Amino acid sequence: MSRTRWRFGLAATAFLVAAGVVPAPAHAEDATDYAITVDPTAKGAKIDDTMYGVFFEDINRAADGGLYAELVQNRSFEYSTDDNRSYTPLTSWAVDGTGQVVNDDGRLNARNRNYLSLGAGSAVTNAGYNTGVPVEEGKKYDFSVWVRAESGTTLTVSLQDADGSLATARRVAAKGGWAKYKATFTATRTSSNGRLTVASSAAAALDMVSLFPRDTYKHQANGLRKDLAEKVAALHPGFVRFPGGCLVNTGSMEDYSEASDWQRKRSYQWKDTIGPVEERATNSNFWGYNQSYGLGYYEYFRLSEDIGAMPLPVVPALVTGCGQNQAVDDEALLERHIQDTLDLIEFANGPATSTWGKKRARMGHPKPFHLTHIEVGNEENLPVEFFARFKEFRAAIEAEYPDITVISNSGPDDSGSTFDTAWQLNKDAKVDMVDEHYYNSPQWFLQNNDRYDSYDRGGPKVFLGEYASQGNAFKNGLAEAAFMTGLERNADVVKLASYAPLFANEDYVQWRPDLVWFNNHASWNSANYEVQKLFMTNVGDRVVPSTATGTPSLTGPITGAVGLSTWATTAAYDDVQVTDADGDSLLSDDFSGDASKWTHTGGGSWSVQDGQYVQTDVAAENTMVSAGDPNWHDYDLKVKATKKSGKEGFLVAFGVKDTGNYYWWNLGGWNNTQSAVEQAVDGGKSTLISKAGSIETGRTYDIDVKVRGRQVTLYLDGQEWGSFTDDKPAEPFRQVVTKDRKTGDLIVKVVNAQPTAARTAIDLGGAKVASKARVTTLTADPNAVNSETETPVAPVSSTFQGVADEFSYTFPANSVTFLRIKQK
């Protein structure tokens, strides 16, 4: 690269810095030199409009108390210990006077099992979600309730918080059998701590007590919370995958009926979720709460249509996963679920004269929803059993709806025996598309930009249905952005991709990280969201082939101390021996004395008992103790390990630098179903090698780990269990170039995930371009996290005037930058 080109580029950047339109670059000595070469004459992969989408699962209270705009919690008194051990039918309610929840023949309908019997002169108050019922001054709120009051009653309905009334109270006269009554409130003050109270002058039965903001997304009744739906719409997603996730492949596959004894712990089944809301089933949510199904399949289809996205539903395959791992062997039940899936397609696409199309039309949507893709199953850990059932689903769907793409999956991990078996079955059966899921460390995402470069171009296409890098800091977004450049480069293989999960209510969290965070009155975008939005709104239609120089790096040997740990298990360790490559002793401990050589950095309870080092807390997770020198390298670690009790096996660590950086051999992990070597980097773990297998209780195992340079070989009871070489570079500088057919723009997308600026010579290969580019930059401290009150990670728009066939640009440290360059 010529000195002249560098001088021009740095001068142009200096001009922009002076104008205050781009972040100032690091000093020259803090920058690394790169080159990007673009070949505009070559034709890269076509990128479908649907490539990037969102995955909605009711986890972290994403539906009730989240996207579903209902403000009353447990509105139908259906909460149960089946949902959560702490629940009762009056959870979130307080009765003043006399009132009890009743389950008898006087109920509203067979599927709505419970109702509240309220005594004369009594009242009931709902606490809402988070801190209460939120209202905004001047906004309207629609109240409704189903009442049975044979002798008649007057209901007084009020909204208040600790400071007094939030709206003028309403009186509703009710008499006779079950009927729905309505009222409207206009809030006189703004509060997020409101309470809704219903008082009855005479004895009455109440059910489906509801309060909805009038201002829902698209102003739909039974609608969606506006700010959350707008955040989804702002992404312009190509598809919406729903409803799960673990909701689909856990629990009973029976229906909600008398025949199943009103089974509460069921898989998500679409027919439970349509029709009038008071007739929809209730269900125990896998994530530890109740789901009302007020937000159901019809609402998912409507949301997809409203935001211009392709609906992509997932149906149960009758093989459970997410730790349950059972194959349902019931041919009649399998046939029923297959027919349900065919009926779902008719509900989505059938004419209003068809059986299920008529039901859709009666709900308010005569026109079809244009369903084109459907997924069968989710993360099944039993690939053979799953695939046998998948083939029956696929055959039935293809026979009746040959234009529908039927999607399979490859289990819950990015590699391993389940993944390999599932992929082979999918390839052999010529499946159209396979769903992959993985949640790994930022380092894994930086190391695996080339993951799909070697995939079979003639094999099944990939749907990356769930992925995230285990954190919501900007460094996580940077790693995901680097990985996404590889997804786009391989858009001929990776046809669909969605980060997961989508939503998290800050007071009801089962899973981290998440794309959008919220409470009952506010929502905010994570750093990851800003990355996703930048990619999703600047996709382009085709990849323009490009290459980039890499980052100079020197990789030394694996270094670190050694460690012992457990996970939901008690275990005993003995005879720890660490020797260097020449056989000289580095550490020897038979625990005949104390454990002074070991440092306890995790949870649990460790003590020396009968010449063994024992961890005795069966519930504790990651109980790490470590010993030795973090500078050790090229050594052998030998130890005897015995599982005493609990769900899993034991963990032997090596390469231990600190509490967030280590390797461990996880023997009998994942509920004692498989063993794997995991690498932790800054607290985020990724799997390097895994195999199916379990650990026996009471049996002593001989473990031997040999570390040589970057290679590790593992022996179990004298037999080689496996080996790996950890020498893949975590490249921080990644790029992809795409072309937008509509605008003619070249979109140069560059990720610089390092603490130094990247001075980059860009060669557009003779392309005739305008001199001005529109620039969008995300840059922040790598540990920056967006919150309700602070948004350090936000896009900055600017203009760059120095574009030419050959030009230079300095990409800031820790940044994602998109240059939109017009072609002449």
Side-chain angles (χ1 to χ4, degrees):
M1 57 194 70
S2 73
R3 185 173 300 174
T4 303
R5 277 165 55 184
W6 279 122
R7 185 182 302 119
F8 167 79
L10 292 174
T13 303
F15 166 78
L16 291 173
V17 170
V21 291
V22 298
H27 295 296
E29 63 269 21
D30 295 328
T32 305
D33 291 343
Y34 294 92
I36 295 175
T37 304
V38 182
D39 185 356
T41 63
K43 186 173 285 190
K46 180 180 181 296
I47 307 175
D48 295 340
D49 293 339
T50 53
M51 177 162 184
Y52 293 123
V54 295
F55 166 45
F56 181 92
E57 179 175 8
D58 188 358
I59 185 174
N60 310 311
R61 288 279 189 191
D64 294 337
L67 184 62
Y68 187 48
E70 174 65 76
L71 300 178
V72 177
Q73 184 173 180
N74 190 18
R75 67 181 177 187
S76 194
F77 309 101
E78 296 290 341
Y79 277 25
S80 163
T81 52
D82 282 340
D83 309 324
N84 189 295
R85 285 181 294 178
S86 68
Y87 281 0
T88 75
L90 281 173
T91 292
S92 82
W93 292 97
V95 175
D96 183 7
T98 60
Q100 62 177 338
V101 175
V102 180
N103 179 344
D104 65 15
D105 291 341
R107 63 179 64 89
L108 178 60
N109 59 63
R111 297 186 118 202
N112 200 324
R113 307 296 293 168
N114 292 347
Y115 64 93
L116 177 67
S117 176
L118 194 63
S122 299
V124 63
T125 298
N126 191 265
Y129 296 94
N130 299 92
T131 56
V133 175
V135 295
E136 187 176 342
E137 183 178 354
K139 293 291 184 69
K140 293 184 180 297
Y141 297 84
D142 293 322
F143 169 83
S144 65
V145 62
W146 284 78
V147 183
R148 191 190 73 215
E150 304 299 344
S151 301
T153 188
T154 297
L155 300 180
T156 301
V157 188
S158 59
L159 277 167
Q160 67 286 320
D161 64 8
D163 295 326
S165 174
L166 293 169
T168 302
R170 294 286 183 257
R171 285 181 170 78
V172 177
K175 186 174 182 179
W178 285 108
K180 187 177 183 179
Y181 299 87
K182 300 179 180 180
T184 299
F185 292 96
T186 300
T188 55
R189 288 191 295 114
T190 295
S191 174
S192 58
N193 306 305
R195 299 291 187 268
L196 175 72
T197 297
V198 181
S200 182
S201 64
L206 308 181
D207 207 346
M208 295 294 292
V209 184
S210 174
L211 186 69
F212 258 88
R214 179 76 58 86
D215 191 17
T216 57
Y217 185 65
K218 301 289 186 180
H219 300 287
Q220 293 178 9
N222 194 50
L224 306 181
R225 181 171 149 174
K226 189 175 181 181
D227 64 324
L228 296 183
E230 285 177 343
K231 288 188 183 303
V232 178
L235 293 169
H236 298 287
F239 65 89
V240 179
R241 177 178 183 252
F242 62 89
C246 289
L247 302 190
V248 168
N249 69 336
T250 55
S252 168
M253 300 294 165
E254 300 287 347
D255 62 2
Y256 190 59
S257 67
E258 185 176 7
S260 69
D261 195 25
W262 307 105
Q263 173 63 248
R264 289 288 292 254
K265 295 184 176 183
R266 309 183 314 283
S267 63
Y268 196 111
Q269 299 173 46
W270 79 271
K271 289 181 180 178
D272 287 341
T273 76
I274 65 167
V277 290
E278 68 272 9
E279 296 177 8
R280 298 185 188 182
T282 187
N283 202 1
S284 172
N285 183 295
F286 173 80
W287 298 108
Y289 52 92
N290 176 272
Q291 51 190 348
S292 72
Y293 288 144
L295 175 56
Y297 258 73
Y298 177 77
E299 289 75 27
Y300 287 129
F301 279 128
R302 285 293 299 267
L303 172 64
S304 302
E305 181 180 69
D306 285 343
I307 64 178
M310 175 182 78
L312 203 165
V314 187
V315 299
L318 275 71
V319 178
T320 59
C322 301
Q324 296 182 0
N325 303 337
Q326 297 291 324
V328 178
D329 190 14
D330 184 329
E331 191 62 33
L333 192 58
L334 176 62
E335 290 179 5
R336 194 267 286 175
H337 276 266
I338 291 173
Q339 185 59 52
D340 281 355
T341 302
L342 298 175
D343 293 343
L344 170 60
I345 298 171
E346 183 176 286
F347 177 77
N349 293 351
T353 54
S354 65
T355 300
W356 290 97
K358 186 182 298 182
K359 293 182 183 294
R360 181 195 68 237
R362 287 175 179 169
M363 293 185 72
H365 202 282
K367 294 183 179 179
F369 284 117
H370 306 295
L371 177 68
T372 59
H373 292 64
I374 195 163
E375 183 172 355
V376 178
N378 171 76
E379 292 190 7
E380 281 72 24
N381 257 316
L382 303 174
V384 174
E385 293 85 345
F386 158 74
F387 205 75
R389 290 153 180 79
F390 170 83
K391 287 193 296 184
E392 294 195 48
F393 276 88
R394 185 178 67 162
I397 294 168
E398 289 182 343
E400 198 158 335
Y401 300 102
D403 293 334
I404 296 288
T405 298
V406 186
I407 302 171
S408 179
N409 75 80
S410 58
D413 299 306
D414 62 89
S415 61
S417 58
T418 296
F419 179 88
D420 293 340
T421 300
W423 256 106
Q424 192 60 54
L425 290 168
N426 284 308
K427 286 180 179 178
D428 292 346
K430 294 180 169 44
V431 168
D432 289 333
M433 189 175 290
V434 177
D435 189 0
E436 293 189 354
H437 295 178
Y438 36 83
Y439 298 90
N440 290 323
S441 68
Q443 175 159 311
W444 185 94
F445 283 93
L446 292 174
Q447 289 177 319
N448 283 277
N449 174 275
D450 62 349
R451 175 180 176 87
Y452 297 105
D453 290 0
S454 59
Y455 269 49
D456 181 2
R457 266 46 200 171
K461 302 305 180 185
V462 172
F463 172 22
L464 180 50
E466 298 183 32
Y467 71 99
S469 71
Q470 300 175 344
N472 275 144
F474 187 49
K475 63 185 176 185
N476 300 98
L478 285 169
E480 291 155 6
F483 188 73
M484 292 170 78
T485 65
L487 298 184
E488 290 192 6
R489 187 175 65 251
N490 289 285
D492 57 328
V493 169
V494 183
K495 306 305 288 183
L496 306 168
S498 50
Y499 179 101
L502 177 58
F503 287 124
N505 186 319
E506 66 175 351
D507 292 333
Y508 309 94
V509 181
Q510 291 85 43
W511 188 278
R512 298 172 188 268
D514 305 283
L515 206 61
V516 176
W517 288 81
F518 65 93
N519 51 38
N520 65 352
H521 63 278
S523 57
W524 54 98
N525 304 332
S526 68
N528 318 69
Y529 176 98
E530 296 298 350
V531 166
Q532 291 290 322
K533 184 179 179 182
L534 188 56
F535 274 85
M536 293 167 79
T537 55
N538 294 277
V539 182
D541 302 289
R542 187 175 290 279
V543 174
V544 181
S546 63
T547 58
T549 53
T551 304
S553 64
L554 295 174
T555 302
I558 293 174
T559 61
V562 299
L564 311 170
S565 189
T566 61
W567 196 287
T569 305
T570 66
Y573 292 94
D574 201 0
D575 295 334
V576 179
Q577 300 286 335
V578 182
T579 55
D580 64 19
D582 296 325
D584 296 328
S585 178
L586 299 174
L587 172 71
S588 178
D589 201 337
D590 63 3
F591 304 106
S592 57
D594 57 26
S596 58
K597 297 177 182 178
W598 298 85
T599 301
H600 185 189
T601 56
S605 179
W606 288 86
S607 61
V608 174
Q609 299 179 15
D610 300 324
Q612 295 180 313
Y613 201 19
V614 184
Q615 197 291 115
T616 56
D617 186 344
V618 74
E621 299 178 346
N622 192 0
T623 64
M624 179 85 81
V625 292
S626 61
D629 188 335
N631 295 311
W632 280 352
H633 60 88
D634 297 294
Y635 58 79
D636 293 357
L637 163 63
K638 294 183 179 181
V639 60
K640 295 182 183 296
T642 308
K643 173 183 174 177
K644 296 292 189 181
S645 65
K647 298 178 181 178
E648 306 210 345
F650 34 76
L651 303 112
V652 175
F654 54 96
V656 179
K657 297 185 185 301
D658 53 46
T659 56
N661 295 274
Y662 54 85
Y663 302 79
W664 67 18
W665 189 3
N666 186 348
L667 289 144
W670 296 270
N671 287 321
N672 205 17
T673 60
Q674 67 183 71
S675 298
V677 175
E678 297 176 280
Q679 181 183 15
V681 178
D682 293 333
K685 290 198 289 290
S686 55
T687 300
L688 302 181
I689 181 174
S690 68
K691 293 182 179 182
S694 59
I695 293 297
E696 299 175 22
T697 301
R699 174 183 165 187
T700 298
Y701 291 84
D702 287 319
I703 294 166
D704 184 2
V705 180
K706 295 186 183 299
V707 181
R708 295 292 185 273
R710 305 296 302 179
Q711 184 172 355
V712 178
T713 308
L714 307 111
Y715 298 85
L716 187 63
D717 288 337
Q719 300 296 314
E720 183 174 332
W721 178 87
S723 64
F724 67 92
T725 302
D726 180 24
D727 60 356
K728 202 168 190 180
E731 173 58 62
F733 186 83
R734 296 293 188 184
Q735 101 297 332
V736 69
V737 180
T738 64
K739 181 178 180 179
D740 187 322
R741 182 179 63 250
K742 184 176 180 180
T743 64
D745 289 355
L746 286 176
I747 312 173
V748 180
K749 312 174 187 184
V750 177
V751 180
N752 182 29
Q754 61 185 332
T756 56
R759 294 179 302 203
T760 307
I762 301 174
D763 185 343
L764 297 179
K768 298 185 182 303
V769 294
S771 62
K772 184 169 66 176
R774 286 186 292 130
V775 184
T776 306
T777 306
L778 287 171
T779 185
D781 184 281
N783 293 311
V785 176
N786 287 351
S787 68
E788 181 181 354
T789 56
E790 296 183 335
T791 54
V793 183
V796 174
S797 298
S798 60
T799 302
F800 177 66
Q801 298 283 356
V803 179
D805 172 35
E806 296 182 358
F807 69 103
S808 64
Y809 192 92
T810 298
F811 297 96
N814 300 310
S815 66
V816 183
T817 306
F818 280 27
L819 303 171
R820 292 194 71 116
I821 302 171
K822 286 203 171 295
Q823 294 190 89
K824 292 181 180 179

